[in-house]
Amino acid sequence: MLLFTKDKNQLSELKEKPFKLEKEIQTLFESNLEIITGLKFIKSEFIIKNNRIDTLVFDPESKAFIIVEYKRERNFSVIDQGVSYLNLMLEYKADFIVEYNETQKQSIKEMK
């Protein structure tokens, strides 16, 4: 699908500029997370039981945690990784809740 940008009454095609590293995608997405998704950022690089989750977010509407995993290229093992993250979340739900609560405390401190 072609994408365009508008300058006055003139359209010009946007050119694809691939990311060199997954970390670039992660930084851009996390910096704009609430604008793009409406979700609440919890933690970057959340480590739990020797697993590293790229970005942990929370959906206040459904009251659910969401794990964001970045892939610069196609990856067929992403389904297996998703299932393993789901099992991790179900087994260590309390750890996710503690991290969420810590984030909320930090947000309150920053507001004061």
Side-chain angles (χ1 to χ4, degrees), residues 29-84:
F29 188 73
E30 286 178 355
S31 298
N32 296 283
L33 180 87
E34 290 195 37
I35 294 168
I36 296 169
T37 65
L39 302 173
K40 182 162 183 53
F41 176 80
I42 302 299
K43 186 158 186 170
S44 183
E45 308 295 329
F46 179 53
I47 297 175
I48 182 165
K49 308 301 176 202
N50 297 323
N51 291 282
R52 184 189 53 78
I53 292 170
D54 289 344
T55 305
L56 180 62
V57 299
F58 186 75
D59 181 356
E61 189 175 307
S62 65
K63 296 183 179 16
F65 289 103
I66 297 170
I67 294 172
V68 180
E69 178 67 27
Y70 305 95
K71 299 294 182 204
R72 197 175 72 76
E73 297 178 11
R74 292 178 188 254
N75 187 320
F76 294 104
S77 68
V78 74
I79 301 299
D80 296 333
Q81 191 174 16
V83 170
S84 103

